[in-house]
Amino acid sequence: MRIRTLAALTACLATAGTAAVTAPATGAEEAGAPARTASTDNAASTAASAGAAAGSPAVRADFDGDGYADLATGAPGGKVSGHAEAGYVLVSYGSADGVAAPASTVVSQRTAGVPGSPAANDRFGDRIAARDLDGDGLTDLAVTARSDEGDAAGSVTVLWGRAGGLTGAGAARAQVPGGGGLARDLHAGDFDGDGEGDLLVPSTRSDSAEAYTVLYGPFTRAGGPARESALIEMKPEDSLDGVAVGDVTGDGADDLVAFFSFQGNAEGGWFWKGGPDGLTRGDAALPNGGSPTIGDFDGDGRGDLAYRSIGASVENFPYDKGTVKVVYGTANGPSATRRSTFTQDTAGVPGTGERGDQFGARLAAGDANGDGFADLAVGVPYEAIGSKQSAGSVVLLKGGSGGLKARGAKAFHQDTAGVKGVAETGDRFGAALAFGDVTDDGGAELAVGAPEENGTGAIWSLRGAAGGLTATGSVAFSPDNFEVPGGTDAGARFGTGFADEDLGHYLMGQE
């Protein structure tokens, strides 16, 4: 897509009835969040850190407590203070009109109060997770820096929710016995069902590259957890190709699903059940897969697992047409018998399955039409739009009393009427996905990332509506539309991922 100039985009968004996009004042990053209207009392009474339906992949992110869901977007390749790939995060605040660039805050390691300082290849914002970690009713944001060396190496920084919005004020690094090396992965949940936010991070207390630990909340403002779990051993020597967190059993505690591979060969998946004692590995063995998400598609109070099905080798990803499978939840975990399959050749699903489309490369669950059933957004980032290869698209499958259905599925891309911009070769629209009701009208909006857009990346917000998602009133913005710490630069990869999105397997197209 060619996102139009700032003035043109402002006119388009104003016509659509959304907030006009204008660049925030210089220094907005150091000054913290833009001015907010919610009072502290209102923030305390309306904060919604746990308003999601059973099995939802993430607790509602409301960092400023104004009752609207907010959106956190990573730009790990962004330049900060002249340092390439230092990275930053953009926090966009919800409103009756949705999200917009001026109602956004950039946070980086240059932001006052954030520990450390920006350095080349830190990749601050590589993984981000939203959860109320200190139990004050406001959602907090955990941010990794993926660097292998330097002050920020392996760190997880916690930005505390506050009535005025996120800033660096009081930010702390999560304290983990054994030191750094944590940042290659990060997931948030409530694994013991006590209502406090927990973090799942790689552990340095084991020789295994895939040993994890749970840091249980509530956290202190110094970043210390209330307690730490025993080691959670993944498959030794295997690579972790996808993780999903959600309440599959419907008992009020988040469960965990992980998929693995070894030297390019898919190794299936495992399930861990959450409960008062934390995570316990269950007996359920899952087929080969990746890019998992959890949502209650049939409304029975138990989370259902959707994942990208793969063959024997993950090395075939770039040539895959794409298949999405759904395993429905039971009181004991993923069902051994109740399952469904969707491809672009399934009757009712828009498009045609073609080599390299990668239908299901990214997945997100949320209730777009507010009917009480989670819907599934399916990213197809390598879909050709006309002659434009890898322009990308997103397909919405609707939930209902019988589960997900192909009937009534909708597709969206940059040439869809109402979606801002124009589809271009290599945009990879749909390479990142996240649901959140940023308008607080009962239907969740879908955030869509295209990290290769114009060399810098861009994001879109598609409105939730009675019929599902709609392009009417959608918005889009890129680093051209807000104050960037180091100036707009190629390779920022803005829109690489959103808070709580699974990014287990790097996306790669056909050569």
Side-chain angles (χ1 to χ4, degrees), residues 91-109:
V91 180
S92 304
Y93 296 96
S95 71
D97 293 324
V99 293
S104 300
T105 302
V106 176
V107 181
S108 74
Q109 291 179 102

Side-chain angles (χ1 to χ4, degrees), residues 391-410:
S393 71
V394 176
V395 172
L396 181 72
L397 303 176
K398 296 179 184 178
S401 59
L404 281 180
K405 301 176 178 63
R407 185 176 67 253
K410 295 182 178 180

Side-chain angles (χ1 to χ4, degrees), residues 176-178 182 184 200-216 228-234 256 270 272 277-281:
V176 182
L182 312 172
R184 66 182 181 273
L200 176 73
V201 296
S203 175
T204 57
R205 294 189 289 113
S206 170
D207 293 334
S208 171
E210 296 303 338
Y212 280 64
T213 188
V214 175
L215 307 180
Y216 289 100
E228 183 186 9
S229 76
L231 287 178
I232 299 170
E233 295 284 356
M234 305 291 181
L256 179 72
W270 285 355
W272 286 261
D277 296 325
L279 293 171
T280 303
R281 210 189 116 197

Side-chain angles (χ1 to χ4, degrees), residues 405-484:
K405 301 176 178 63
R407 185 176 67 253
K410 295 182 178 180
F412 300 86
H413 47 75
Q414 292 178 70
D415 284 348
T416 299
V419 175
K420 309 303 176 186
V422 178
E424 293 179 317
T425 296
D427 278 347
R428 284 176 45 193
F429 182 86
L433 301 170
F435 276 104
D437 187 6
V438 298
T439 58
D440 194 33
D441 61 358
E445 279 69 46
L446 178 68
V448 182
E452 305 300 329
E453 172 64 36
N454 292 343
T456 62
I459 63 172
W460 288 254
S461 179
L462 304 178
R463 291 291 186 94
L469 294 173
T470 178
T472 302
S474 66
V475 299
F477 47 93
S478 74
D480 291 327
N481 305 127
F482 55 85
E483 187 78 9
V484 179

Side-chain angles (χ1 to χ4, degrees), residues 263-412:
Q263 296 183 351
N265 297 311
E267 294 283 317
W270 285 355
F271 169 77
W272 286 261
K273 186 180 184 303
D277 296 325
L279 293 171
T280 303
R281 210 189 116 197
D283 295 329
L286 297 168
N288 298 341
S291 304
T293 191
I294 295 172
D296 188 6
F297 304 121
D298 58 1
D300 67 352
R302 300 186 179 99
D304 309 312
L305 172 67
Y307 65 94
R308 175 186 184 175
S309 178
I310 60 176
S313 174
V314 298
E315 294 178 353
N316 292 329
F317 270 172
Y319 315 102
D320 185 28
K321 290 183 178 181
T323 299
V324 172
K325 290 187 178 291
V326 179
V327 181
Y328 289 90
T330 75
N332 298 315
S335 172
T337 58
R338 189 176 170 220
R339 305 186 175 194
S340 55
T341 301
F342 301 89
T343 71
Q344 285 186 289
D345 294 324
T346 301
V349 176
T352 302
E354 297 174 317
R355 175 183 167 92
D357 278 351
Q358 299 192 52
F359 179 83
R362 289 289 184 260
L363 299 170
D367 187 0
N369 57 5
D371 63 355
F373 300 96
D375 308 308
L376 183 68
V378 182
V380 200
Y382 295 98
E383 174 91 295
I385 306 301
S387 62
K388 303 159 188 172
Q389 299 297 314
S390 300
S393 71
V394 176
V395 172
L396 181 72
L397 303 176
K398 296 179 184 178
S401 59
L404 281 180
K405 301 176 178 63
R407 185 176 67 253
K410 295 182 178 180
F412 300 86

